[in-house]
Amino acid sequence: DQQVKQNSPSLSVQEGRISILNCDYTNSMFDYFLWYKKYPAEGPTFLISISSIKDKNEDGRFTVFLNKSAKHLSLHIVPSQPGDSAVYFCAASGKTSYDKVIFGPGTSLSVIP
Amino acid sequence: DAGVIQSPRHEVTEMGQEVTLRCKPISGHNSLFWYRQTMMRGLELLIYFNNNVPIDDSGMPEDRFSAKMPNASFSTLKIQPSEPRDSAVYFCASRPSGANVLTFGAGSRLTVL
């Protein structure tokens, strides 16, 4: 029973275009959401996050949107670059910093030059 | 800071052998997480500790798995006896008090023959 779902195992996008990665969650107690990027043979690295009190957070080329009523969030990358090719994990956590962090299965993004 | 340090980076062992994976969290971080990455399930939470105390071990697959955190700077994940289906990359991550963002180590790739 996966609490965090990423239904697209892979995505291919042309360089310069927008990449949209989607994530759905089932537990309404989740309060904080994170995106991580992972290159082969490396550990995941933090990319961007959003609290449930917001519906959008932006950091450079990366924007995360949160729709609480739909229990859905998305990561937009504009413009996409070949170096963005990696596996992207969506994660969710509870209200406190002592809560566990649950990850989705990941989406492999390929940005084609 | 050197980040989260995991050892060994690679381990190849035979079925039935004991495997011990080690993790040194970032100094000052008081939460430590163990995850397992597989193709089917993505990043699966095995167990996490707050202030060296195990909080949730519901993700530990079987009694063959055990984890300890004897002090704030060291944790182990032990598999005894190991089986081929335990082959995966195991990640350790840590987090400071009051924060939601985890910092991951580079992972330990385990192959059980």
Side-chain angles (χ1 to χ4, degrees):
Chain A
D1 178 30
Q2 280 201 326
Q3 298 185 61
V4 178
K5 303 176 184 181
Q6 296 177 256
N7 293 321
S8 297
S10 62
L11 176 68
S12 289
V13 173
Q14 288 284 339
E15 180 179 4
R17 305 295 290 269
I18 184 171
S19 295
I20 300 176
L21 296 93
N22 292 304
C23 176
D24 297 287
Y25 61 96
T26 58
N27 190 338
S28 58
M29 297 301 291
F30 286 144
D31 191 67
Y32 198 85
F33 304 90
L34 311 95
W35 285 93
Y36 279 76
K37 179 168 73 172
K38 185 185 180 304
Y39 293 119
E42 295 182 10
T45 55
F46 172 71
L47 190 58
I48 192 169
S49 63
I50 188 166
S51 166
S52 63
I53 61 173
K54 296 185 175 181
D55 55 17
K56 176 183 174 181
N57 188 27
E58 192 171 353
D59 184 1
R61 297 185 297 114
F62 302 90
T63 303
V64 56
F65 295 92
L66 175 62
N67 183 333
K68 283 187 64 179
S69 61
K71 295 190 178 69
H72 176 83
L73 61 155
S74 60
L75 174 68
H76 293 210
I77 306 173
V78 183
S80 301
Q81 299 174 353
D84 297 330
S85 298
V87 177
Y88 289 78
F89 291 98
C90 171
S93 179
K95 287 185 180 297
T96 77
S97 61
Y98 290 100
D99 287 327
K100 58 185 171 183
V101 182
I102 304 297
F103 282 78
T107 296
S108 179
L109 173 66
S110 296
V111 180
I112 304 164
Chain B
D1 199 316
V4 177
I5 299 173
Q6 291 187 246
S7 64
R9 288 296 312 276
H10 302 275
E11 174 91 8
V12 180
T13 190
E14 293 189 345
M15 182 173 64
Q17 296 297 306
E18 177 179 295
V19 173
T20 299
L21 307 178
R22 298 172 176 80
C23 176
K24 176 178 169 54
I26 293 173
S27 177
H29 285 196
N30 70 332
S31 293
L32 184 141
F33 296 73
W34 283 101
Y35 289 89
R36 176 171 68 176
Q37 185 189 12
T38 61
M39 289 296 292
M40 294 298 294
R41 301 176 70 104
L43 276 172
E44 180 184 14
L45 177 63
L46 301 177
I47 185 171
Y48 78 107
F49 298 82
N50 282 336
N51 297 316
N52 312 339
V53 176
I55 302 300
D56 187 336
D57 66 353
S58 60
M60 297 286 261
E62 300 171 31
D63 290 345
R64 298 184 296 107
F65 285 69
S66 63
K68 294 181 179 179
M69 192 164 185
N71 56 62
S73 59
F74 184 65
S75 177
T76 59
L77 178 67
K78 187 174 293 187
I79 308 172
Q80 165 64 15
S82 58
E83 296 182 3
R85 59 188 167 134
D86 301 331
S87 298
V89 181
Y90 291 80
F91 288 101
C92 176
S94 68
R95 176 178 70 185
S97 176
N100 296 88
V101 177
L102 304 181
T103 302
F104 281 82
S108 294
R109 178 175 293 276
L110 172 64
T111 302
V112 183
L113 303 174

